[in-house]
Amino acid sequence: MTGRVGKLDRLTTHLLRRLELLRGRWWRWRGVSAGKRFGLGPGVRIFYPRCLTAGNDVTIEGPAYLHCLSERGVRIGSNSSFGSNLWLHCGGSPADHSHGYLEVGEHVFIGANGVLGAGGGIRIGNYVLIGQCVNIHAENHNFADRNRLIGEQGVTYAEVVIGDDVWIGSKATILAGVTVGQGAVIGAGAVVTKSVPPYAIVVGVPARVIGYRGESAA
C-alpha cells in the first residue's frame, strides 16, 4: 500500500540523522563552534571552520561548499537549515579578509542550490524563507574602463540586508547594496537591483513593487 511510512523508513530516517550529527561533531572537533544537534549531510566541505558559529538545531544538507574566511565570520542562528548544494563564499583570502561575512538569524530556511556571494556581507533576519536556486551577491565587478580587462579592475563590495519574515521565491537574484524590508515578498525569478520597502510584494526583471501585504484586492 502506498502512502504509508513503515518501520524500515523510520529506521532509515533515524540512521541518516545520526550520521548528520556525527559529521557535525567531527566538524566541531575541526574548529566549528556549534550548539546542540548540529547536523551536516554527506559531502559538506567547510573551509576555515573556526570562522563558523552555529546555534542549536542547525542542519546543512550535503553536498555543500562553505568558504568562511572573514574577520566577522559566518554565524547561523538556531533552528535554521540549508538545502543541498549550498555555495557560500565570504570573499576572503589570507591576505585580505576584512570585508565579507554571513549572518543568518533564527528559524531561517534556504532551499537547495542557494548561492551566497558574501564578499560585502550578507545579513539575514529571523523567520526568513528562501526558495530553491536563489542567488544573493554582495559584490560587483568593476567594468567602467573599456581599455582594461574586467578582471583587472577590481571588485566593489556592498552589504545585502534581508529583514525578518521575508519570503524569497525560487530563482530570484538579489544584488549588492540591496535591503529587503521586513515582511517583504520577492516573486520567483525576480532580479532585485534596488531596496524593497517593508511588506512590499515585488516581481519582475528588474523587480518592481506590485502591492503590499495586507492590502485589499482591487
Side-chain angles (χ1 to χ4, degrees):
M1 182 181 294
T2 60
R4 294 182 62 181
V5 178
K7 184 180 295 185
L8 182 59
D9 298 312
R10 290 191 292 269
L11 180 62
T12 301
T13 299
H14 177 74
L15 176 60
L16 291 175
R17 181 57 178 164
R18 293 297 299 171
L19 289 173
E20 288 178 345
L21 296 175
L22 285 172
R23 295 186 195 98
R25 290 178 184 175
W26 189 83
W27 278 104
R28 275 200 293 260
W29 179 79
R30 290 285 309 277
V32 172
S33 177
K36 299 177 181 178
R37 297 173 296 277
F38 176 59
L40 299 173
V44 174
R45 295 186 294 162
I46 303 174
F47 296 86
Y48 303 94
R50 294 185 185 277
C51 295
L52 174 59
T53 301
N56 297 326
D57 298 295
V58 169
T59 300
I60 302 172
E61 296 182 16
Y65 174 94
L66 287 79
H67 193 292
C68 302
L69 179 60
S70 61
E71 288 183 3
R72 290 177 60 172
V74 174
R75 296 182 177 272
I76 303 171
S78 296
N79 300 292
S80 293
S81 60
F82 300 79
S84 60
N85 296 311
L86 171 70
W87 186 92
L88 162 68
H89 203 303
C90 287
S93 68
D96 178 18
H97 50 273
S98 62
H99 44 77
Y101 67 89
L102 173 67
E103 294 179 1
V104 177
E106 298 185 351
H107 299 276
V108 172
F109 173 75
I110 298 179
N113 303 308
V115 174
L116 304 176
I122 297 174
R123 186 153 43 97
I124 300 173
N126 302 311
Y127 296 94
V128 174
L129 299 173
I130 298 178
Q132 299 88 353
C133 305
V134 168
N135 290 258
I136 303 175
H137 301 284
E139 65 271 336
N140 274 316
H141 286 284
N142 301 324
F143 55 86
D145 187 350
R146 64 182 181 182
N147 296 313
R148 296 174 61 199
L149 296 172
I150 293 174
E152 297 176 347
Q153 297 185 48
V155 177
T156 299
Y157 299 106
E159 180 186 54
V160 173
V161 178
I162 298 171
D164 297 342
D165 188 33
V166 167
W167 175 24
I168 301 175
S170 65
K171 297 185 179 179
T173 299
I174 299 176
L175 299 182
V178 165
T179 293
V180 179
Q182 178 176 340
V185 174
I186 310 298
V191 177
V192 184
T193 61
K194 297 180 180 179
S195 292
V196 177
Y199 299 100
I201 302 168
V202 301
V203 300
V205 182
R208 67 191 189 284
V209 177
I210 61 168
Y212 289 84
R213 289 175 58 192
E215 288 183 337
S216 299

